[in-house]
Amino acid sequence: MKGLPENYHIRNEIYSNSNTGRSLFRIVDTLINLDYSLKVFELNKNKIKEIDKEIVALNRLPFGLAPKCHRKWFSQDKRTLFILIDWVEGKSLYDLCKNPPLNKQDIMFRLNILEELATSISKLNKLRVIHRDLKPQNIIVRTERFYINSLYLIDFGLSSQSRSVEEGSHNYRSPEQYLYRNNILTPASDIYSFCQIGWFLMFGRPRLMEENFDNTDWDETESAGL
């Protein structure tokens, strides 16, 4: 990859999105034999100011809650920006729990995950940080059998950006993130996402909701008996 220092070798590509101009790789620093996440931004589709805000958001969070950013640099032609972030070992909550629980032990395991997630969201609240894009794909869990070793939150890009007409991820964003740009967001937005994640853990998907005709809240589209 052009712009990558010689001591960094790519292990594998995690994702690449040509529409957003963003890619993520797992790389290794061969000098110290440590793995890192490498975020790659095409600057014709991403603003440097917003990337810098994400770096600040990550590095102001306490150790163990989110990965840290270690350095950033530009490609020689200044068209691409790279940021080097801690590699978080584990699986995304989506990959770990994309099917409904199998038994009572599995249910208890998922409730423990929810408890850890609630603690992490509480820490964000104390720091006056609203993640704004909590979903199973942005939660990395390291486990050993049915024991949780660690839980990390990733992708804090929205937490430091200005409001947009529509933000967050479908089925996990709060109503005020979907329709009301002028509303001031509160930690309640992350709590809404937390509840949808809880539903995902128990049923393998978030609870399906849609906006009502009065635009005052979201109505349930499923029966309460589910």
Side-chain angles (χ1 to χ4, degrees), residues 109-136:
F109 170 68
R110 295 174 189 226
L111 289 176
N112 287 336
I113 290 176
L114 274 179
E115 185 177 6
E116 291 289 331
L117 179 58
T119 300
S120 296
I121 294 174
S122 177
K123 290 178 180 178
L124 290 184
N125 188 12
K126 290 178 181 178
L127 293 168
R128 298 186 178 181
V129 174
I130 305 172
H131 188 285
R132 293 166 56 183
D133 196 19
L134 287 175
K135 58 183 177 180

PDB file of all heavy atoms in Angstrom, residues 109-136:
ATOM      1  N   PHE A 109     -24.760 -15.382  29.878  1.00  0.00           N
ATOM      2  CA  PHE A 109     -23.575 -14.804  29.261  1.00  0.00           C
ATOM      3  C   PHE A 109     -23.912 -13.476  28.596  1.00  0.00           C
ATOM      4  O   PHE A 109     -23.195 -12.479  28.738  1.00  0.00           O
ATOM      5  CB  PHE A 109     -23.019 -15.793  28.240  1.00  0.00           C
ATOM      6  CG  PHE A 109     -21.945 -15.236  27.353  1.00  0.00           C
ATOM      7  CD1 PHE A 109     -20.697 -14.897  27.866  1.00  0.00           C
ATOM      8  CD2 PHE A 109     -22.167 -15.073  25.989  1.00  0.00           C
ATOM      9  CE1 PHE A 109     -19.703 -14.386  27.045  1.00  0.00           C
ATOM     10  CE2 PHE A 109     -21.179 -14.569  25.167  1.00  0.00           C
ATOM     11  CZ  PHE A 109     -19.947 -14.230  25.690  1.00  0.00           C
ATOM     12  N   ARG A 110     -25.031 -13.425  27.886  1.00  0.00           N
ATOM     13  CA  ARG A 110     -25.432 -12.211  27.183  1.00  0.00           C
ATOM     14  C   ARG A 110     -25.869 -11.120  28.161  1.00  0.00           C
ATOM     15  O   ARG A 110     -25.642  -9.926  27.914  1.00  0.00           O
ATOM     16  CB  ARG A 110     -26.529 -12.535  26.175  1.00  0.00           C
ATOM     17  CG  ARG A 110     -26.030 -13.457  25.072  1.00  0.00           C
ATOM     18  CD  ARG A 110     -27.134 -13.905  24.147  1.00  0.00           C
ATOM     19  NE  ARG A 110     -26.647 -14.944  23.241  1.00  0.00           N
ATOM     20  CZ  ARG A 110     -26.864 -14.973  21.925  1.00  0.00           C
ATOM     21  NH1 ARG A 110     -27.587 -14.032  21.354  1.00  0.00           N
ATOM     22  NH2 ARG A 110     -26.393 -15.947  21.177  1.00  0.00           N
ATOM     23  N   LEU A 111     -26.475 -11.502  29.253  1.00  0.00           N
ATOM     24  CA  LEU A 111     -26.829 -10.521  30.275  1.00  0.00           C
ATOM     25  C   LEU A 111     -25.566  -9.919  30.901  1.00  0.00           C
ATOM     26  O   LEU A 111     -25.538  -8.725  31.234  1.00  0.00           O
ATOM     27  CB  LEU A 111     -27.704 -11.169  31.349  1.00  0.00           C
ATOM     28  CG  LEU A 111     -29.134 -11.530  30.917  1.00  0.00           C
ATOM     29  CD1 LEU A 111     -29.860 -12.260  32.039  1.00  0.00           C
ATOM     30  CD2 LEU A 111     -29.919 -10.274  30.521  1.00  0.00           C
ATOM     31  N   ASN A 112     -24.519 -10.735  31.038  1.00  0.00           N
ATOM     32  CA  ASN A 112     -23.248 -10.216  31.549  1.00  0.00           C
ATOM     33  C   ASN A 112     -22.642  -9.205  30.570  1.00  0.00           C
ATOM     34  O   ASN A 112     -22.055  -8.203  30.983  1.00  0.00           O
ATOM     35  CB  ASN A 112     -22.263 -11.363  31.791  1.00  0.00           C
ATOM     36  CG  ASN A 112     -22.629 -12.197  33.007  1.00  0.00           C
ATOM     37  OD1 ASN A 112     -23.317 -11.720  33.905  1.00  0.00           O
ATOM     38  ND2 ASN A 112     -22.180 -13.436  33.030  1.00  0.00           N
ATOM     39  N   ILE A 113     -22.786  -9.480  29.274  1.00  0.00           N
ATOM     40  CA  ILE A 113     -22.317  -8.535  28.270  1.00  0.00           C
ATOM     41  C   ILE A 113     -23.070  -7.207  28.401  1.00  0.00           C
ATOM     42  O   ILE A 113     -22.480  -6.128  28.363  1.00  0.00           O
ATOM     43  CB  ILE A 113     -22.492  -9.110  26.852  1.00  0.00           C
ATOM     44  CG1 ILE A 113     -21.506 -10.253  26.623  1.00  0.00           C
ATOM     45  CG2 ILE A 113     -22.293  -8.018  25.794  1.00  0.00           C
ATOM     46  CD1 ILE A 113     -21.662 -10.944  25.281  1.00  0.00           C
ATOM     47  N   LEU A 114     -24.393  -7.301  28.573  1.00  0.00           N
ATOM     48  CA  LEU A 114     -25.196  -6.086  28.737  1.00  0.00           C
ATOM     49  C   LEU A 114     -24.768  -5.300  29.971  1.00  0.00           C
ATOM     50  O   LEU A 114     -24.732  -4.061  29.956  1.00  0.00           O
ATOM     51  CB  LEU A 114     -26.678  -6.444  28.838  1.00  0.00           C
ATOM     52  CG  LEU A 114     -27.448  -6.587  27.528  1.00  0.00           C
ATOM     53  CD1 LEU A 114     -28.896  -6.981  27.803  1.00  0.00           C
ATOM     54  CD2 LEU A 114     -27.403  -5.292  26.717  1.00  0.00           C
ATOM     55  N   GLU A 115     -24.440  -6.008  31.036  1.00  0.00           N
ATOM     56  CA  GLU A 115     -23.985  -5.342  32.256  1.00  0.00           C
ATOM     57  C   GLU A 115     -22.673  -4.599  32.012  1.00  0.00           C
ATOM     58  O   GLU A 115     -22.500  -3.446  32.439  1.00  0.00           O
ATOM     59  CB  GLU A 115     -23.811  -6.359  33.379  1.00  0.00           C
ATOM     60  CG  GLU A 115     -23.455  -5.738  34.718  1.00  0.00           C
ATOM     61  CD  GLU A 115     -23.355  -6.760  35.830  1.00  0.00           C
ATOM     62  OE1 GLU A 115     -23.442  -7.973  35.540  1.00  0.00           O
ATOM     63  OE2 GLU A 115     -23.193  -6.359  36.992  1.00  0.00           O
ATOM     64  N   GLU A 116     -21.733  -5.246  31.299  1.00  0.00           N
ATOM     65  CA  GLU A 116     -20.458  -4.593  30.970  1.00  0.00           C
ATOM     66  C   GLU A 116     -20.687  -3.391  30.059  1.00  0.00           C
ATOM     67  O   GLU A 116     -20.056  -2.337  30.216  1.00  0.00           O
ATOM     68  CB  GLU A 116     -19.529  -5.601  30.286  1.00  0.00           C
ATOM     69  CG  GLU A 116     -19.018  -6.705  31.189  1.00  0.00           C
ATOM     70  CD  GLU A 116     -18.017  -6.201  32.208  1.00  0.00           C
ATOM     71  OE1 GLU A 116     -17.307  -5.202  31.912  1.00  0.00           O
ATOM     72  OE2 GLU A 116     -17.949  -6.776  33.309  1.00  0.00           O
ATOM     73  N   LEU A 117     -21.603  -3.554  29.093  1.00  0.00           N
ATOM     74  CA  LEU A 117     -21.903  -2.456  28.176  1.00  0.00           C
ATOM     75  C   LEU A 117     -22.522  -1.281  28.920  1.00  0.00           C
ATOM     76  O   LEU A 117     -22.186  -0.118  28.654  1.00  0.00           O
ATOM     77  CB  LEU A 117     -22.836  -2.945  27.067  1.00  0.00           C
ATOM     78  CG  LEU A 117     -23.276  -1.901  26.037  1.00  0.00           C
ATOM     79  CD1 LEU A 117     -22.074  -1.270  25.334  1.00  0.00           C
ATOM     80  CD2 LEU A 117     -24.220  -2.534  25.011  1.00  0.00           C
ATOM     81  N   ALA A 118     -23.420  -1.564  29.855  1.00  0.00           N
ATOM     82  CA  ALA A 118     -24.038  -0.498  30.648  1.00  0.00           C
ATOM     83  C   ALA A 118     -22.984   0.272  31.448  1.00  0.00           C
ATOM     84  O   ALA A 118     -23.044   1.505  31.546  1.00  0.00           O
ATOM     85  CB  ALA A 118     -25.085  -1.097  31.595  1.00  0.00           C
ATOM     86  N   THR A 119     -21.993  -0.440  31.975  1.00  0.00           N
ATOM     87  CA  THR A 119     -20.901   0.213  32.712  1.00  0.00           C
ATOM     88  C   THR A 119     -20.108   1.128  31.795  1.00  0.00           C
ATOM     89  O   THR A 119     -19.754   2.256  32.168  1.00  0.00           O
ATOM     90  CB  THR A 119     -19.973  -0.850  33.332  1.00  0.00           C
ATOM     91  OG1 THR A 119     -20.723  -1.663  34.241  1.00  0.00           O
ATOM     92  CG2 THR A 119     -18.819  -0.192  34.078  1.00  0.00           C
ATOM     93  N   SER A 120     -19.845   0.662  30.564  1.00  0.00           N
ATOM     94  CA  SER A 120     -19.092   1.478  29.607  1.00  0.00           C
ATOM     95  C   SER A 120     -19.868   2.737  29.229  1.00  0.00           C
ATOM     96  O   SER A 120     -19.298   3.833  29.145  1.00  0.00           O
ATOM     97  CB  SER A 120     -18.782   0.660  28.346  1.00  0.00           C
ATOM     98  OG  SER A 120     -17.933  -0.432  28.649  1.00  0.00           O
ATOM     99  N   ILE A 121     -21.170   2.599  29.001  1.00  0.00           N
ATOM    100  CA  ILE A 121     -21.990   3.760  28.650  1.00  0.00           C
ATOM    101  C   ILE A 121     -22.053   4.743  29.813  1.00  0.00           C
ATOM    102  O   ILE A 121     -22.037   5.967  29.616  1.00  0.00           O
ATOM    103  CB  ILE A 121     -23.405   3.303  28.230  1.00  0.00           C
ATOM    104  CG1 ILE A 121     -23.330   2.501  26.933  1.00  0.00           C
ATOM    105  CG2 ILE A 121     -24.341   4.500  28.047  1.00  0.00           C
ATOM    106  CD1 ILE A 121     -24.654   1.886  26.513  1.00  0.00           C
ATOM    107  N   SER A 122     -22.096   4.221  31.037  1.00  0.00           N
ATOM    108  CA  SER A 122     -22.088   5.088  32.218  1.00  0.00           C
ATOM    109  C   SER A 122     -20.794   5.900  32.292  1.00  0.00           C
ATOM    110  O   SER A 122     -20.806   7.092  32.624  1.00  0.00           O
ATOM    111  CB  SER A 122     -22.251   4.236  33.482  1.00  0.00           C
ATOM    112  OG  SER A 122     -22.169   5.025  34.643  1.00  0.00           O
ATOM    113  N   LYS A 123     -19.670   5.276  31.936  1.00  0.00           N
ATOM    114  CA  LYS A 123     -18.390   5.991  31.937  1.00  0.00           C
ATOM    115  C   LYS A 123     -18.396   7.098  30.880  1.00  0.00           C
ATOM    116  O   LYS A 123     -17.892   8.201  31.119  1.00  0.00           O
ATOM    117  CB  LYS A 123     -17.247   5.009  31.682  1.00  0.00           C
ATOM    118  CG  LYS A 123     -16.988   4.040  32.836  1.00  0.00           C
ATOM    119  CD  LYS A 123     -15.869   3.070  32.485  1.00  0.00           C
ATOM    120  CE  LYS A 123     -15.614   2.095  33.631  1.00  0.00           C
ATOM    121  NZ  LYS A 123     -14.559   1.105  33.282  1.00  0.00           N
ATOM    122  N   LEU A 124     -18.973   6.796  29.717  1.00  0.00           N
ATOM    123  CA  LEU A 124     -19.083   7.823  28.679  1.00  0.00           C
ATOM    124  C   LEU A 124     -19.911   8.999  29.178  1.00  0.00           C
ATOM    125  O   LEU A 124     -19.569  10.164  28.951  1.00  0.00           O
ATOM    126  CB  LEU A 124     -19.730   7.239  27.422  1.00  0.00           C
ATOM    127  CG  LEU A 124     -18.941   6.235  26.596  1.00  0.00           C
ATOM    128  CD1 LEU A 124     -19.734   5.855  25.351  1.00  0.00           C
ATOM    129  CD2 LEU A 124     -17.580   6.785  26.201  1.00  0.00           C
ATOM    130  N   ASN A 125     -21.009   8.691  29.855  1.00  0.00           N
ATOM    131  CA  ASN A 125     -21.896   9.730  30.368  1.00  0.00           C
ATOM    132  C   ASN A 125     -21.161  10.635  31.346  1.00  0.00           C
ATOM    133  O   ASN A 125     -21.293  11.870  31.306  1.00  0.00           O
ATOM    134  CB  ASN A 125     -23.106   9.074  31.038  1.00  0.00           C
ATOM    135  CG  ASN A 125     -24.180  10.077  31.425  1.00  0.00           C
ATOM    136  OD1 ASN A 125     -24.151  11.231  31.013  1.00  0.00           O
ATOM    137  ND2 ASN A 125     -25.120   9.649  32.229  1.00  0.00           N
ATOM    138  N   LYS A 126     -20.353  10.050  32.220  1.00  0.00           N
ATOM    139  CA  LYS A 126     -19.602  10.845  33.194  1.00  0.00           C
ATOM    140  C   LYS A 126     -18.589  11.757  32.512  1.00  0.00           C
ATOM    141  O   LYS A 126     -18.257  12.841  33.014  1.00  0.00           O
ATOM    142  CB  LYS A 126     -18.901   9.922  34.189  1.00  0.00           C
ATOM    143  CG  LYS A 126     -19.860   9.212  35.139  1.00  0.00           C
ATOM    144  CD  LYS A 126     -19.130   8.264  36.069  1.00  0.00           C
ATOM    145  CE  LYS A 126     -20.112   7.556  36.996  1.00  0.00           C
ATOM    146  NZ  LYS A 126     -19.437   6.587  37.886  1.00  0.00           N
ATOM    147  N   LEU A 127     -18.102  11.323  31.359  1.00  0.00           N
ATOM    148  CA  LEU A 127     -17.152  12.135  30.601  1.00  0.00           C
ATOM    149  C   LEU A 127     -17.853  13.076  29.631  1.00  0.00           C
ATOM    150  O   LEU A 127     -17.206  13.780  28.855  1.00  0.00           O
ATOM    151  CB  LEU A 127     -16.197  11.219  29.822  1.00  0.00           C
ATOM    152  CG  LEU A 127     -15.241  10.381  30.663  1.00  0.00           C
ATOM    153  CD1 LEU A 127     -14.581   9.315  29.806  1.00  0.00           C
ATOM    154  CD2 LEU A 127     -14.172  11.281  31.296  1.00  0.00           C
ATOM    155  N   ARG A 128     -19.191  13.057  29.646  1.00  0.00           N
ATOM    156  CA  ARG A 128     -20.021  13.882  28.759  1.00  0.00           C
ATOM    157  C   ARG A 128     -19.764  13.564  27.291  1.00  0.00           C
ATOM    158  O   ARG A 128     -19.680  14.454  26.442  1.00  0.00           O
ATOM    159  CB  ARG A 128     -19.800  15.368  29.044  1.00  0.00           C
ATOM    160  CG  ARG A 128     -20.204  15.764  30.458  1.00  0.00           C
ATOM    161  CD  ARG A 128     -20.106  17.253  30.679  1.00  0.00           C
ATOM    162  NE  ARG A 128     -20.534  17.615  32.033  1.00  0.00           N
ATOM    163  CZ  ARG A 128     -20.576  18.845  32.501  1.00  0.00           C
ATOM    164  NH1 ARG A 128     -20.214  19.853  31.717  1.00  0.00           N
ATOM    165  NH2 ARG A 128     -20.970  19.082  33.726  1.00  0.00           N
ATOM    166  N   VAL A 129     -19.618  12.279  27.017  1.00  0.00           N
ATOM    167  CA  VAL A 129     -19.435  11.795  25.650  1.00  0.00           C
ATOM    168  C   VAL A 129     -20.664  10.978  25.259  1.00  0.00           C
ATOM    169  O   VAL A 129     -21.093  10.101  26.001  1.00  0.00           O
ATOM    170  CB  VAL A 129     -18.175  10.912  25.525  1.00  0.00           C
ATOM    171  CG1 VAL A 129     -18.077  10.301  24.124  1.00  0.00           C
ATOM    172  CG2 VAL A 129     -16.926  11.728  25.843  1.00  0.00           C
ATOM    173  N   ILE A 130     -21.226  11.277  24.110  1.00  0.00           N
ATOM    174  CA  ILE A 130     -22.332  10.497  23.548  1.00  0.00           C
ATOM    175  C   ILE A 130     -21.801   9.805  22.305  1.00  0.00           C
ATOM    176  O   ILE A 130     -21.348  10.468  21.363  1.00  0.00           O
ATOM    177  CB  ILE A 130     -23.536  11.393  23.192  1.00  0.00           C
ATOM    178  CG1 ILE A 130     -23.969  12.214  24.413  1.00  0.00           C
ATOM    179  CG2 ILE A 130     -24.697  10.547  22.681  1.00  0.00           C
ATOM    180  CD1 ILE A 130     -25.022  13.268  24.087  1.00  0.00           C
ATOM    181  N   HIS A 131     -21.826   8.500  22.289  1.00  0.00           N
ATOM    182  CA  HIS A 131     -21.239   7.746  21.177  1.00  0.00           C
ATOM    183  C   HIS A 131     -21.973   8.017  19.870  1.00  0.00           C
ATOM    184  O   HIS A 131     -21.378   8.254  18.830  1.00  0.00           O
ATOM    185  CB  HIS A 131     -21.264   6.248  21.492  1.00  0.00           C
ATOM    186  CG  HIS A 131     -20.519   5.403  20.521  1.00  0.00           C
ATOM    187  ND1 HIS A 131     -21.006   5.104  19.262  1.00  0.00           N
ATOM    188  CD2 HIS A 131     -19.312   4.790  20.607  1.00  0.00           C
ATOM    189  CE1 HIS A 131     -20.130   4.343  18.619  1.00  0.00           C
ATOM    190  NE2 HIS A 131     -19.102   4.139  19.408  1.00  0.00           N
ATOM    191  N   ARG A 132     -23.300   7.933  19.896  1.00  0.00           N
ATOM    192  CA  ARG A 132     -24.191   8.258  18.770  1.00  0.00           C
ATOM    193  C   ARG A 132     -24.235   7.200  17.675  1.00  0.00           C
ATOM    194  O   ARG A 132     -24.951   7.358  16.697  1.00  0.00           O
ATOM    195  CB  ARG A 132     -23.831   9.633  18.176  1.00  0.00           C
ATOM    196  CG  ARG A 132     -24.117  10.781  19.135  1.00  0.00           C
ATOM    197  CD  ARG A 132     -23.483  12.083  18.730  1.00  0.00           C
ATOM    198  NE  ARG A 132     -23.844  12.533  17.393  1.00  0.00           N
ATOM    199  CZ  ARG A 132     -23.342  13.638  16.837  1.00  0.00           C
ATOM    200  NH1 ARG A 132     -22.470  14.381  17.509  1.00  0.00           N
ATOM    201  NH2 ARG A 132     -23.700  14.000  15.622  1.00  0.00           N
ATOM    202  N   ASP A 133     -23.498   6.111  17.837  1.00  0.00           N
ATOM    203  CA  ASP A 133     -23.594   5.035  16.845  1.00  0.00           C
ATOM    204  C   ASP A 133     -23.334   3.675  17.494  1.00  0.00           C
ATOM    205  O   ASP A 133     -22.615   2.835  16.947  1.00  0.00           O
ATOM    206  CB  ASP A 133     -22.613   5.266  15.697  1.00  0.00           C
ATOM    207  CG  ASP A 133     -22.936   4.405  14.470  1.00  0.00           C
ATOM    208  OD1 ASP A 133     -24.081   3.921  14.368  1.00  0.00           O
ATOM    209  OD2 ASP A 133     -22.046   4.222  13.619  1.00  0.00           O
ATOM    210  N   LEU A 134     -23.923   3.465  18.659  1.00  0.00           N
ATOM    211  CA  LEU A 134     -23.780   2.175  19.320  1.00  0.00           C
ATOM    212  C   LEU A 134     -24.591   1.116  18.585  1.00  0.00           C
ATOM    213  O   LEU A 134     -25.778   1.297  18.315  1.00  0.00           O
ATOM    214  CB  LEU A 134     -24.250   2.267  20.777  1.00  0.00           C
ATOM    215  CG  LEU A 134     -23.333   3.009  21.747  1.00  0.00           C
ATOM    216  CD1 LEU A 134     -24.000   3.127  23.108  1.00  0.00           C
ATOM    217  CD2 LEU A 134     -21.975   2.311  21.875  1.00  0.00           C
ATOM    218  N   LYS A 135     -23.943   0.020  18.262  1.00  0.00           N
ATOM    219  CA  LYS A 135     -24.578  -1.116  17.597  1.00  0.00           C
ATOM    220  C   LYS A 135     -23.666  -2.320  17.802  1.00  0.00           C
ATOM    221  O   LYS A 135     -22.493  -2.170  18.188  1.00  0.00           O
ATOM    222  CB  LYS A 135     -24.776  -0.830  16.107  1.00  0.00           C
ATOM    223  CG  LYS A 135     -23.501  -0.502  15.348  1.00  0.00           C
ATOM    224  CD  LYS A 135     -23.795  -0.166  13.891  1.00  0.00           C
ATOM    225  CE  LYS A 135     -22.526   0.233  13.145  1.00  0.00           C
ATOM    226  NZ  LYS A 135     -22.795   0.557  11.733  1.00  0.00           N
ATOM    227  N   PRO A 136     -24.159  -3.524  17.571  1.00  0.00           N
ATOM    228  CA  PRO A 136     -23.336  -4.721  17.829  1.00  0.00           C
ATOM    229  C   PRO A 136     -22.005  -4.719  17.073  1.00  0.00           C
ATOM    230  O   PRO A 136     -21.001  -5.232  17.583  1.00  0.00           O
ATOM    231  CB  PRO A 136     -24.240  -5.869  17.369  1.00  0.00           C
ATOM    232  CG  PRO A 136     -25.623  -5.352  17.577  1.00  0.00           C
ATOM    233  CD  PRO A 136     -25.553  -3.885  17.242  1.00  0.00           C
TER     234      PRO A 136
END
